[in-house]
Amino acid sequence: MAGSLALADTTPAAAIDSKDAAKQLFAITNLDRTSNGAPALKHDNRLDTISVARSDDMIKRDYFSHQIPPNNTTVADIVESLGVQFGSVGENIAWNNANDFQTIQSAGQDFIESPHHRENLLDLRWDRMGTGVAEGGGKKMYTVVFMQTPQITGSGPTKSAPAASASPAAQLVHGERVEVASSRAGLLTTLVNSVVRLFLQQ
């Protein structure tokens, strides 16, 4: 499942340190989880790389969606194409143009206060997380990628539980929530996938 938020502000954007902002978003997300009875998530560098690439791509190509143009692929397609084993993958995205001293807190607050994003953030399936932040065009873009690693039994990985049904995007005021299920599309040719592969080969 995934969620997105876009909350505009009339205040001009100020520059931020994207790496530090991503670390703060990771900490805020885990604090929100533990404060609401959910376990903290482990940090995953692979998901960080994907999150940064997603935020950067949305800024550079000026779109805001879980569906990655031009082929409408998703973050799950990216994770799968990189050969990462997973049970489920989720994504929350948001952007704002708040001042540097409040933009990260605003993104975290927006996620936890929106019922659909809160549900995604507190989902007990997840055990790993990565975050990424990019800035450009007068706004800051935030991506959080959640992942459930496969459950291992004596006979091998078990199938993950089916994802909860998604709410239609049209019913939401501030964003959308979509199912992000594993796809068997194979290698992707999108810009995001190319960037992720480049980073992971270094």
Side-chain angles (χ1 to χ4, degrees), residues 116-136:
H116 297 287
H117 298 86
R118 178 188 179 94
E119 181 181 350
N120 201 29
L121 188 155
L122 299 179
D123 197 315
L124 295 178
R125 289 178 298 173
W126 315 134
D127 55 16
R128 293 180 179 273
M129 174 176 62
T131 54
V133 180
E135 182 177 12

Side-chain angles (χ1 to χ4, degrees), residues 43-57:
H43 179 243
D44 193 306
N45 287 324
R46 300 167 301 179
L47 301 183
D48 271 356
T49 301
I50 293 169
S51 298
V52 170
R54 285 282 290 126
S55 289
D56 189 59
D57 188 54

Side-chain angles (χ1 to χ4, degrees), residues 1-23:
M1 66 183 70
S4 61
L5 277 174
L7 298 178
D9 191 324
T10 57
T11 306
I16 57 172
D17 182 319
S18 58
K19 291 184 179 180
D20 183 62
K23 290 179 181 179

Side-chain angles (χ1 to χ4, degrees), residues 98-116:
N99 285 323
D100 57 347
F101 64 87
Q102 66 183 110
T103 178
I104 303 153
Q105 290 76 12
S106 293
Q109 185 175 4
D110 291 340
F111 282 144
I112 198 64
E113 290 184 351
S114 164
H116 297 287

Side-chain angles (χ1 to χ4, degrees), residues 123-192:
D123 197 315
L124 295 178
R125 289 178 298 173
W126 315 134
D127 55 16
R128 293 180 179 273
M129 174 176 62
T131 54
V133 180
E135 182 177 12
K139 59 188 176 184
K140 290 101 168 176
M141 188 72 68
Y142 296 88
T143 301
V144 182
V145 176
F146 304 97
M147 186 174 75
Q148 173 195 33
T149 53
Q151 298 176 354
I152 306 299
T153 66
S155 58
T158 61
K159 293 183 178 179
S160 61
S165 59
S167 301
Q171 295 180 5
L172 304 183
V173 176
H174 295 299
E176 59 182 336
R177 180 170 178 243
V178 299
E179 288 297 325
V180 180
S182 176
S183 168
R184 302 299 168 192
L187 293 179
L188 302 179
T189 57
T190 64
L191 172 63
V192 172

